[in-house]
Amino acid sequence: MAQDMAALAAELEDMAAADHRAAANGYSDDPAEQLTWRRLTARHGDRLGEIMDEHGWPTAELVGAEAARAAWLIAQHADRQLDIQRRAVRLLEQAVEAGSASPRDLAFLRDHTLVNEGRKQIYGTQIAGVKDGAPVPWPCEDPEHVDALRAEVGIEPYAAYVAKHAPA
């Protein structure tokens, strides 16, 4: 079992490394590079679905902190696989409730999934783009309380986070 988990951890970490290497392709002007990115994230999303079927959410206790973070990244980037993202949110939520995963990671994944569903985000973690040199966040459900919600899950204040996304 430990050997299986070590192999699973290595696989998740390899997937995240490939994701990092190819991420810029998602924003490329070249349709072939965009397609390469979409295919990679779809393959990874499919594999994460299989992992969740077999093991539930891959927590740090199960696969180690780095591999658990890799699983989170893979779920974040499964943008064209809302079923995978929704299931990841549910399983990650259970892991957070059990004290086995980060509420911060759940907040980011939940917002990412809500935005992909065309809904308002909760924690203000998703930036839509840049307009007139300023980051433009996706709309939030309750913008007046977003900093309190962010503080509850360990995310810096909204203004500081948005400022980090401003073009240099």
Side-chain angles (χ1 to χ4, degrees), residues 141-160:
E141 280 184 8
D142 187 2
E144 293 167 15
H145 297 103
V146 76
D147 276 335
L149 292 167
R150 292 170 71 89
E152 287 175 15
V153 296
I155 303 173
E156 70 264 55
Y158 186 72

Side-chain angles (χ1 to χ4, degrees), residues 108-127:
F108 273 84
L109 184 57
R110 180 172 281 141
D111 273 1
H112 201 98
T113 304
L114 287 168
V115 167
N116 284 336
E117 292 173 336
R119 298 166 56 196
K120 291 181 178 179
Q121 60 181 324
I122 297 169
Y123 300 95
T125 65
Q126 302 301 298
I127 305 297

Side-chain angles (χ1 to χ4, degrees), residues 36 48 62 118:
T36 298
L48 181 61
L62 188 67

Side-chain angles (χ1 to χ4, degrees), residues 1-9:
M1 179 70 169
Q3 186 176 9
D4 291 345
M5 289 304 104
L8 179 58

Side-chain angles (χ1 to χ4, degrees), residues 8-30:
L8 179 58
E11 179 183 6
L12 286 164
E13 291 169 19
D14 288 348
M15 289 165 57
D19 183 289
H20 284 300
R21 286 190 303 271
N25 290 343
Y27 302 102
S28 173
D29 292 332
D30 181 348

Side-chain angles (χ1 to χ4, degrees), residues 47-163:
R47 179 63 182 126
L48 181 61
E50 294 169 356
I51 292 166
M52 291 187 298
D53 287 346
E54 189 171 344
H55 303 284
W57 184 253
T59 62
E61 289 87 355
L62 188 67
V63 295
E66 189 174 335
R69 185 73 175 174
W72 172 83
L73 176 75
I74 293 160
Q76 284 274 105
H77 289 170
D79 290 329
R80 289 165 191 80
Q81 296 165 291
L82 278 171
D83 58 324
I84 297 292
Q85 284 187 331
R86 288 177 182 130
R87 190 156 38 121
V89 166
R90 285 192 306 274
L91 291 173
L92 188 53
E93 190 172 58
Q94 293 169 4
V96 167
E97 288 171 7
S100 299
S102 161
R104 184 181 193 280
D105 287 352
L106 175 60
F108 273 84
L109 184 57
R110 180 172 281 141
D111 273 1
H112 201 98
T113 304
L114 287 168
V115 167
N116 284 336
E117 292 173 336
R119 298 166 56 196
K120 291 181 178 179
Q121 60 181 324
I122 297 169
Y123 300 95
T125 65
Q126 302 301 298
I127 305 297
V130 177
K131 183 176 180 183
D132 299 325
V136 179
W138 286 97
C140 291
E141 280 184 8
D142 187 2
E144 293 167 15
H145 297 103
V146 76
D147 276 335
L149 292 167
R150 292 170 71 89
E152 287 175 15
V153 296
I155 303 173
E156 70 264 55
Y158 186 72
Y161 178 75
V162 171

